[in-house]
């Protein structure tokens, strides 16, 4: 997972230890796709403690060799279907303005699920990277709610 995240050159890279903990502690709210015995992609997320009906998606990544086959959308839909049994009806994620691929992905998930997609400003650059030497784009909150 760490290698796939690193190779995207877009995602904020967590430590290998963080990905290991995500797999252990948030296995119910994350998913890994495999093709031919290798990890092809992953979605990491968690149920918000203050809103257990909400899945917050932390990262979505697909290995370059497996992109273009709809794996990311399939993983998100499978994860939402799995969590619906536990009462999850809402999805949240944050996306930067320059990440059009993620914007399109979550838009297509909302359309496929006949859901409502809303976008709100959430974090300004200074909230994420207070050091001017390492600026981070603002993050917008994308919310997918049942229609």
């Amino acid at each position: 997972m760490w290698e796939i995240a690193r190779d995207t050159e877009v995602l904020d890279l967590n430590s290998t230890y963080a990905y290991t903990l995500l797999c252990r502690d948030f296995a119910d709210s994350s998913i890994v796709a495999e093709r031919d015995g290798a990890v092809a992609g992953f979605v990491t997320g968690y149920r918000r403690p203050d809103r257990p009906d909400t899945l917050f998606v932390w990262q979505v990544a697909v290995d370059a060799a497996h992109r273009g086959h709809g794996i990311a959308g399939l993983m998100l839909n499978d994860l939402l279907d799995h969590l619906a049994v536990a009462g999850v009806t809402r999805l949240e994620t944050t996306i930067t303005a320059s990440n059009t691929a993620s914007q399109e992905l979550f838009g297509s998930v909302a359309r496929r699920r006949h859901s409502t997609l809303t976008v709100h400003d959430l974090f300004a650059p200074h909230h994420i990277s207070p050091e001017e030497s390492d600026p981070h784009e603002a993050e917008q909150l994308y919310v997918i709610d049942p229609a």
Side-chain angles (χ1 to χ4, degrees), residues 28 30-33 43 55 70-85 109 112-113:
D28 282 349
S30 300
I31 192 168
V32 171
V43 174
L55 169 68
I71 293 173
L74 289 171
M75 287 189 296
L76 284 168
N77 277 307
D78 284 354
L79 188 55
L80 286 168
D81 289 345
H82 166 74
L83 291 171
V85 176
V109 168
R112 243 188 323 241
R113 299 183 77 79

Side-chain angles (χ1 to χ4, degrees), residues 55 57 76 80 89-95 99-120 140-147:
L55 169 68
V57 172
L76 284 168
L80 286 168
T89 59
R90 184 174 206 246
L91 180 147
E92 293 182 349
T93 195
T94 60
I95 305 174
N99 191 343
T100 56
S102 288
Q103 294 166 19
E104 291 171 9
L105 170 63
F106 285 90
S108 74
V109 168
R111 284 188 302 277
R112 243 188 323 241
R113 299 183 77 79
H114 307 288
S115 298
T116 303
L117 173 66
T118 55
V119 180
H120 311 278
Q140 292 184 304
L141 180 66
Y142 280 62
V143 180
I144 298 176
D145 278 308

